[in-house]
Amino acid sequence: MDSRPHYVVGIDLGTTNSALAYADLGRGEEAAADLALLPIPQLVAPGETAARRLLPSSCYLPGEHELPPGATRLPWGDRPVVVGELARRQGERVPARLVGSAKSWLCHPRADRTAPILPWGAPAGVPRISPVEASTLVLAHLRDAWDARFPGAPLAAQEVVLTVPASFDEVARELTVQAARQIGLTRLVLLEEPQAAFYSWTAAHRQDLLAALGSCRLILVCDVGGGTTDFSLISAGFDGQLPALRRLAVGDHLLLGGDNMDAALARQIEARWRTRLDALQYAQLVAACRGAKEALLLAGGPPRASLAVVGRGSRLVGSALSAELTREEVLQTVLDGFFPRTGPDETPARAARAGLQELGLPYAADPAVTRHVLQFLRRHGPEVEQAAGIPCPGGLPRPDGLLLNGGVFTPPAIGERLQQAVAAWFPDQPPPVLLVNDQLDVAVARGAAYYGLVRRGLGLRIGGGTARAYFIGIDAPGVSRQGLCVVPRHLEEGREIELARPFALRVDRPVRFTLHASSQVRAELPGELVPLDEEQFTPLPPIQTVLRGEGPPGKSRGGTPGTEIPVRIRAGLTELGTLELWCVAEQGGTRWKLEFQLRGAVGADETPSVVAPMPRKAPEAKELVERVFPLERSGRDLQ
């Protein structure tokens, strides 16, 4: 078996559906023209397997005698948890055993994302898994499908580009990487989904990119998925034969998408029935509305769809509830509720609205995507002016290109509504040009695969580095809380920064670092202090640990516990796309890696983790070991 990569593989790990695309590295320059989609074998009925272009990101935990023997057998063997189409279908009948929207839980800052908490609200006796484990199960199914199709080129040996929402915080990114590594994917990089969608568009126009962009200098990417809505601004400069592309800004975390539309439709039907459904019935209704919405909004879909919820009580059949949804009703709900026309000064509502706070997830209070777009543009007007030199009258940057992504934009009317809403904010200017991606449901996976080629010099790369700046919280008596910038915005991957400001590291004693991120605050220099404004900063889980000295515990450097060592903070972004923080001793260069507390909030009675110093010769040792045992052969990531 050859351990060299023969393919670059793009994986869209979606909230509702996942997809896998790939390119053959052996084809060189022609590989971009042959981006392929992997048909994914999955259970579609008990004991029945079929290949589909998408894998529903659903995990079903069957009861002991619920399915007959052999019902969960796949071409690569039996699995105790069902993933894919059958999982979603079984979950519509028994919602208490269905794990859905795991990706939304993966970015829930107030949940322990490594704890077995799903299915949320399941009754006693139903097994539970963590959001990380659910993501691992979906990725494992994709790996098994790939390995069955390419037994001589296993997925673990290929170059994999895994997409994440641009709004994912560092912990959600770390946990996504953790899920991938648990199934052996070590040749891995992360890519933000809006960028992947744009890469898919550039791949389709790689021969005529200048002409396809036309006069577009500022492109707004609006990605509305099953659970999240992501915004990105990309500038295009035209100084040479090829445009210079740069990602200027990304939106903050916004838990809003197709799941919310399903909930809104379900509340409408419930109101029509003039009854209050119990939790089981309501979950069945949401699933039925999701299926009806997807069928009705599909090009060439039926004009109407029937849905039903099983009744409760002794008269089971007689008490069943049924309704009908038309294409016009669904379209009107989506347009008026989620893409309304707004004035140029409207801001998102802050109070929760009915139909949005569902199933324990902190969904956005305002469902209007258009108002969130407007807020995003206003927040980043100064940066557009400074970084791209594009005038922003009144502080509102005008995108002249609009790239849409996500299944919700399948009906042209929804994309046209968003285009009209943006155009109305700039009445004296032409409307933004729609940059159309074919096959919206797989554009992110295709763009991720193309990005793998771009990394090899076979395409045009989008610059811009990290979209967020990162800060360590600093408390001082009589002074408002401040943040020390450790990573400025737009730092490129693979770069490290060492702060000139010295610190004293207290070894063998519990220490706690608070971290914050901001996509809005411009900290130009590492080491800069800025006020920590709650409106502009997102708190990250703290680093709480014990940093060991070089001597035995209690005898660090020959001193007593609590000895202080002069250190400097070193920070950077890995090639993988994740944040790393180190404390480096000024004398001797001893390094301590600082890691996030990933297992939920740490209480006063919990024991912090312990981090030993990195040996001085560790980098040389790592290099020597990797020469003898390459990562693709050992399947391990050396830290």
Side-chain angles (χ1 to χ4, degrees):
M1 185 179 296
D2 195 343
S3 61
R4 296 172 301 173
H6 291 274
Y7 302 93
V8 289
V9 179
I11 295 178
D12 175 13
L13 182 62
T15 304
T16 306
N17 293 296
S18 296
L20 187 153
Y22 62 97
D24 188 343
L25 290 173
R27 294 186 58 79
E29 296 282 349
E30 298 178 0
D34 296 324
L35 294 174
L37 196 69
L38 179 74
I40 305 167
Q42 56 195 282
L43 292 164
V44 297
E48 180 183 344
T49 302
R52 298 284 191 263
R53 60 190 274 118
L54 298 175
L55 176 72
S57 304
S58 302
C59 302
Y60 187 79
L61 312 172
E64 185 177 358
H65 303 294
E66 181 179 350
L67 298 172
T72 62
R73 185 170 298 121
L74 288 157
W76 45 83
D78 279 314
R79 295 292 184 267
V81 177
V82 181
V83 176
E85 188 171 319
L86 177 60
R88 185 167 63 183
R89 290 183 178 180
Q90 284 293 110
E92 291 173 359
R93 291 194 286 268
V94 190
R97 290 184 172 272
L98 177 67
V99 176
S101 302
K103 185 171 162 185
S104 296
W105 284 97
L106 203 62
C107 59
H108 191 336
R110 293 185 296 277
D112 185 346
R113 293 164 264 190
T114 63
I117 58 175
L118 302 178
W120 183 259
V126 174
R128 288 175 172 81
I129 59 177
S130 71
V132 175
E133 188 176 355
S135 300
T136 303
L137 288 168
V138 175
L139 287 172
H141 190 107
L142 293 172
R143 177 204 58 194
D144 293 340
W146 173 275
D147 290 353
R149 172 66 179 82
F150 299 101
L155 188 60
Q158 311 313 309
E159 293 186 4
V160 177
V161 179
L162 181 59
T163 64
V164 294
S167 58
F168 256 22
D169 64 21
E170 285 305 307
V171 174
R173 292 170 188 254
E174 289 279 359
L175 293 174
T176 302
V177 171
Q178 184 183 113
R181 285 178 171 163
Q182 285 179 3
I183 63 163
L185 303 185
T186 57
R187 282 182 156 172
L188 181 74
V189 294
L190 299 182
L191 177 66
E192 294 168 1
E193 290 165 5
Q195 283 199 67
F198 194 80
Y199 273 120
S200 181
W201 185 83
T202 61
H205 297 279
R206 63 193 178 280
Q207 302 296 341
D208 63 339
L209 190 54
L210 278 173
L213 282 170
S215 60
C216 293
R217 295 182 61 203
L218 185 65
I219 298 99
L220 168 65
V221 183
C222 183
D223 184 0
V224 182
T228 56
T229 290
D230 267 348
F231 307 126
S232 288
L233 280 174
I234 296 175
S235 66
F238 299 99
D239 294 334
Q241 293 184 342
L242 290 175
L245 302 175
R246 186 184 182 197
R247 194 274 316 283
L248 297 178
V250 301
D252 289 334
H253 177 63
L254 192 60
L255 204 58
L256 176 66
D259 289 350
N260 307 92
M261 299 172 191
D262 304 333
L265 290 169
R267 289 302 186 199
Q268 289 180 21
I269 297 297
E270 186 182 40
R272 188 187 306 176
W273 286 336
R274 297 183 180 179
T275 185
R276 185 69 175 174
L277 303 178
D278 63 28
L280 178 60
Q281 290 175 309
Y282 179 70
Q284 290 176 338
L285 179 57
V286 170
C289 287
R290 178 183 300 117
K293 178 197 70 177
E294 292 174 353
L296 293 170
L297 296 185
L298 194 65
R304 61 189 69 248
S306 299
L307 44 86
V309 170
V310 176
R312 310 288 283 175
S314 57
R315 298 183 58 196
L316 194 60
V317 176
S319 61
L321 300 168
S322 62
E324 189 176 73
L325 273 176
T326 67
R327 188 175 194 273
E328 289 72 21
E329 286 176 322
V330 174
L331 204 53
Q332 204 65 37
T333 296
V334 174
L335 290 175
D336 292 345
F338 295 86
F339 295 91
R341 295 182 176 90
T342 65
D345 297 318
E346 292 189 35
T347 57
R350 301 177 67 90
R353 295 192 177 187
L356 290 180
Q357 302 295 329
E358 307 289 346
L359 303 178
L361 287 168
Y363 288 119
D366 193 330
V369 173
T370 44
R371 279 192 281 269
H372 291 290
V373 169
L374 185 60
Q375 183 182 61
F376 167 68
L377 292 175
R378 284 203 176 278
R379 283 178 172 174
H380 296 285
E383 183 157 8
V384 170
E385 284 191 320
Q386 295 172 20
I390 299 174
C392 302
L396 183 62
R398 173 186 169 269
D400 38 28
L402 182 59
L403 179 70
L404 308 177
N405 191 66
V408 69
F409 291 114
T410 298
I414 299 178
E416 292 167 1
R417 167 62 69 86
L418 181 56
Q419 181 188 33
Q420 294 164 6
V422 174
W425 304 332
F426 309 94
D428 298 329
Q429 300 290 334
V433 177
L434 281 179
L435 307 180
V436 180
N437 248 337
D438 294 330
Q439 300 178 317
L440 290 172
D441 55 348
V442 295
V444 167
R446 289 171 55 85
Y450 181 62
Y451 176 67
L453 298 176
V454 169
R455 284 171 50 84
R456 288 174 163 259
L458 300 176
L460 188 63
R461 189 164 188 166
I462 302 170
T466 175
R468 292 176 178 80
Y470 295 92
F471 302 80
I472 291 178
I474 302 291
D475 288 314
V479 180
S480 61
R481 188 166 171 74
Q482 294 182 305
L484 176 74
C485 179
V486 291
V487 173
R489 290 175 65 188
H490 306 304
L491 180 71
E492 295 289 344
E493 289 85 357
R495 292 274 311 279
E496 274 194 357
I497 289 176
E498 185 171 289
L499 304 189
R501 185 187 299 264
F503 292 87
L505 172 65
R506 184 172 296 171
V507 296
D508 293 332
R509 288 280 179 86
V511 293
R512 181 183 176 93
F513 299 83
T514 59
L515 292 167
H516 304 263
S518 177
S519 63
Q520 304 171 50
V521 175
R522 290 180 58 82
E524 301 292 347
L525 296 174
E528 184 177 348
L529 284 171
V530 298
L532 285 179
D533 179 1
E534 290 184 2
E535 291 292 325
Q536 295 183 320
F537 289 85
T538 301
L540 299 175
I543 293 172
Q544 181 161 323
T545 187
V546 174
L547 300 170
R548 294 296 188 200
E550 290 190 304
K555 298 293 183 181
S556 300
R557 293 186 178 270
T560 59
T563 298
E564 291 187 350
I565 301 173
V567 299
R568 294 187 186 272
I569 299 293
R570 185 173 296 172
L573 295 177
T574 67
E575 289 288 347
L576 175 62
T578 57
L579 175 68
E580 282 192 341
L581 290 173
W582 300 80
C583 286
V584 183
E586 289 189 343
Q587 295 183 357
T590 302
R591 289 158 56 102
W592 292 265
K593 185 177 181 181
L594 307 177
E595 296 184 340
F596 291 110
Q597 178 68 35
L598 298 181
R599 300 191 63 85
V602 178
D605 58 340
E606 294 184 72
T607 303
S609 60
V610 175
V611 178
M614 180 67 71
R616 296 190 187 94
K617 297 286 187 180
E620 295 92 329
K622 179 175 182 287
E623 181 180 354
L624 290 172
V625 172
E626 288 178 354
R627 286 181 188 176
V628 180
F629 303 100
L631 295 184
E632 64 266 23
R633 292 177 58 188
S634 68
R636 299 176 66 92
D637 184 34
L638 297 175
Q639 294 290 338

